[in-house]
Every structure is written in structure tokens, then in C-alpha cells.
Amino acid sequence: MQPPFKIYNTLTRKKEVFKPINPPLVGMYVCGPTVYNYVHLGNVRTFTGFDILYRYLLHLGYKVRYVRNITDVGHLVDDADDGEDKIGKKAKLDNLEPMEVVQKYTNDFHDVMNILNNKAPSIEPSATGHMIEQIKMIEDLLEKGFAYETNGSVYFDVRKYSESHEYGKLSGRNIDELLSGQRELDGQDEKRENIDFALWKKATKGHIMRWPSPWSDGFPGWHLECSVMGQKYLGKTFDIHGGGMDLKFPHHECEVAQGTACNDVEPVNYWMHANMLTVNGQKMSKSLNNSILPNELFSGNNPLLDQAYSPMTLRFAFMQAHYRSTMDISNEALKAASKGYRKMINGLRLVKGLSYSEDSAIEKDAKLNKQILSIIDSVYRGMNDDLNTAVAIAGLFNLLKKINGIHLGQIKIPALEKEVFDKMVNTYISFVEDVLGFIEEKPQNLESAIEIVLQDYKEAKEAKDYDKVDLIRGQLKVMGISVKDMKDRIEWAYDEQ
RNA sequence: GGUCGCGUGGCCGAGCGGCUAGGCAGAGGUCUGCAAAACCUUUUACAGCGGUUCGAAUCCGCUCGCGACCUCCA
């Protein structure tokens, strides 16, 4: 018997049994990247973490609509009134159209997601593609009295909202402290309160990214897009909203406020936050100059790394830690992950080659059967306990001991009950491949492998061992490789049939 | 300063009051032409000080150290 699937809900600060609104449908929204630069390993960790959630929900049989946005406008460099848009700034810097910037880094993001075998979301909406919906939501908020206009910009009225609702409940802030604190910043005169946040900003002269609206030529505030797109594709209240821990405040707090103010319902049932990736104990972040890019990791081309590490090594390293714990990246951790990953994949290759057999001469081993079932249980217990992939992996390694035992003949397959055997095989394969999302990284040096075979071919030919010669040639042909005996050497080419 | 979180053996990292986490590294053994893998056994723990309890890494308090958010950040 396994416990039900529980997830930690930031809103209640508790692990809660996951109950979707309309089972078997599940709606999940994850804040995607702002595409003004290459994603770094910390960004990637979060998305990989939520990939596991997506995969596990699918594994449990849910029909999941996974929405992960691309932020391509509205994310300001800082919070001052004349704050520059991140995309716009980069566009100026690189002398590109903003949409070229967006496309470039969106492509990079997709490449990285693919190479890490993260599943694509069901919908990947962009902020600029939902301008009309955003303007509509601002109008609704104005109409309901939760927003006000100043000089062509529109702000969310936090004080007003907090009179009837609890602003700060997600991130654990105290509204009075927020209101009383830090009034001294300059350039905030358009806002009634410092903690009010922009729904629409009037574009300043040099601002390239602008759209017409009832208030001004301008652009939407960052927090708005997620509310709008979440609501559009998942409903006014949906099941799960995820993102990095650093988005909890103010971004997600603002989302809660906007959604609640607009629709008078709780926008999200379960808020989930992935913790930060650290380097030497400090958060990986561009401003600290300690970020590592995926391509740098895969090539080893970064001063913090003393070798290259493969995509699956990174994935394995992520999976060995819980998503809500900070995780420190280091050469030692990555090297250990690399070996662990290979061990796991070697197991996968073995287990795929196993098949059940009966033998009346061999007695069933009741203790062993029970033990295997209990290990399988531990894998599910781990995942059901707020996606504890580290526990699940530990279980898989325990299972692997049995699988290796079978492989070496120390455990006789007929000693297992058929259903135990099947369950063991299915659990191992489905968790490694489907739930944790590992793929086999095959050696790239196919050509040198062919050269080795051809050397054998050459020797057989010199020894006039034509049976062997024909055998090798035939086997290579099956692989799509044709051997060509030249006058003075042997070559190979892709078989053209 | 406010809010929250963390401190586990050589390293990473689970653990949510009693029952072997796991991986990497180390030691011994089995296997083996050599090697690798695998399997078996095994050495190192819970920041410190108090308290609660029959029993605490696990709960409470204090101290020390570290981090995140509070301003853009996954």
C-alpha cells in the first residue's frame, strides 16, 4: 500500500495530498524564462524539476495540460519608473530587433531542454502574443477598483486589495511592514504605495517595445502575463503553479493578488517552488558572475569545471537532490553523478534483456519476493512524498542489486513470482526512462568502432578466412555500413542499398 | 534590520521520534589470463550547549556558522 501523492504547497507551508479540480485532468503552469540571455544551470534545474512533476503526473495516469510561458516583454531591469525592458536593452546592445533577441534565446532554451530530455510543455505561450488579454485584465482590475492610472501607466493598488484580502500570504510577508517600510526610493511618485506594482507602463521615448492601449503606448507589467495566460489556458482556478524560489516574492505574490482581485477566486490551489542551485554555497546568478551555462558544462569550457559533463550526468545530479533543497554544484558531485548515471543505465540495458521463466525444480523465495516488493514500494513512497527523487533513485539502486544478481545467476528467475518479476522490470524501466526521464547516452565514436572491426576484417582476409570475412561484411551491412575492398586498402561507406 | 530556510560520515545527498537511505570515494573478499563491471562484507555521522521523552539527526530553547527573499533573477 502506498501513501497518496503529496506535494508541498507554499501557500499552506505543508505537504498536502494532491487533489486535482477535475480529475483526471490536471492543469499546471510553470514560469518560463525571460529570453534576454542564455539560460544557466540554475534556471535549468528548476525546469528539470518541474519536468519530473509533469512526468510523474502522467505516470500516475493524469491527463496534464502543462503551460510554460516565454517572457518576451515586460520584465524590467529594475523597478524604477524609467526601468528598461530586459529584452529591449539587449536588443539595443546587440543591435537586433527585440524579436530577434527573443527568438535567439528561445531557440537556445529549447535546445537545452531537449538535450536534457525535458518534455515540451503542452502550451508555450508568450507575453507579446497575449497583449489583448492583458489589456482586458487591466480593464477588469480598473473596473473593480483594484488598479489606478497615473500618467498613462496603470498600477495595482495593494493597499486597497489588502483591505479585503491578504496580500503577502504566499510569501509570508506582513502587509503592514511592507506598507510602512522603504518609502524613501526615488522615482516612485506615480505609485500610491511603493509596493504597488505595474500592470501597464507608459513607454518612455527611447523604449522600443510598445503597444497601443487605452492608457498609453506602452507595455504590460511582468506579473500580469502569467495571470492572464494561466487563466486563459487553465481556468480562473487551476491546480498547480510552479517556479523558482526567487519568484515567490514579488512575482507570485502579485499573481495571487491579481487573480484573486480579478476573479474573486483563489487562482491556484498548489504553489510549488524549486530551490536554488548554488556554487560554493552561493546562489548561481548572472550578477554574481558564478553562472555556468549548459554548453559550458557539456564542453567543460568554464573555469569552475575541470572536465566536461554530459547532459544526463547533470540530470542525474539534479535528481539526487530534492527539488526544495538548495543544491551545490561541484566537480566532485558531478563526477559522482556521472558514475551513478552510468550504473543506472547499465542496469537498464540488463533489465531490458531479462525475461521470465518457470522451473518447477526451483522453489519460490518468499523472502526475496517480499523484499523486492518492498523496494518497489519505497520508490513510489519517495515520489509520492513531494517528489523525493533522491529516495526513488535509492530504491532503484536497491532494485538494481537484485537485477545484477539475476544477471550473474546468483538469483534464479524462477525463484521469483511472475508478477513480482514483471513489477520489478516495469518499475525499473518506467522510472528510469519515463518518470526520471533518463536516456541512454551512447558513445559517439562510432567511426573508431568501425575501424576496429575493419582491422579484424582485414586480418581475416589476409588469413583467407572467407567465412569470417563474409560474416563481418554481412553484419556491417545490417548496420547500414558497406565495406569496400579497394586495391590497396579497405574503406567503408554508408550503405546505399 | 525584517521574513524564511539550512548546518548529516572524505564528498554529494535522503531522513519528519525507535526499524541498513542511496551514489561517489576508501578497506577487505568473491569472480578473473590482465583489467573493468558486478556481487558480498566493512570504516568514517548527525554544528555546539541545554531541555522534553522509556528513546532524538528527527520535537523545544539558546548559541555559533551559512544561505535565500525583502530590488532584476529559475
Side-chain angles (χ1 to χ4, degrees), chain A residues 359-379:
Chain A
D359 185 342
S360 53
I362 296 172
E363 272 189 52
K364 300 291 178 208
D365 185 336
K367 193 180 160 197
L368 179 65
N369 281 286
K370 206 178 150 193
Q371 201 184 3
I372 289 173
L373 287 177
S374 135
I375 296 170
I376 292 169
D377 230 42
S378 79
V379 174

Side-chain angles (χ1 to χ4, degrees), chain A residues 70-91:
Chain A
I70 294 284
T71 296
D72 56 357
V73 68
H75 206 156
L76 301 184
V77 175
D78 57 51
D79 199 34
D81 271 354
D82 57 350
E84 270 188 290
D85 185 279
K86 288 194 171 191
I87 310 281
K89 185 181 177 188
K90 183 72 175 167

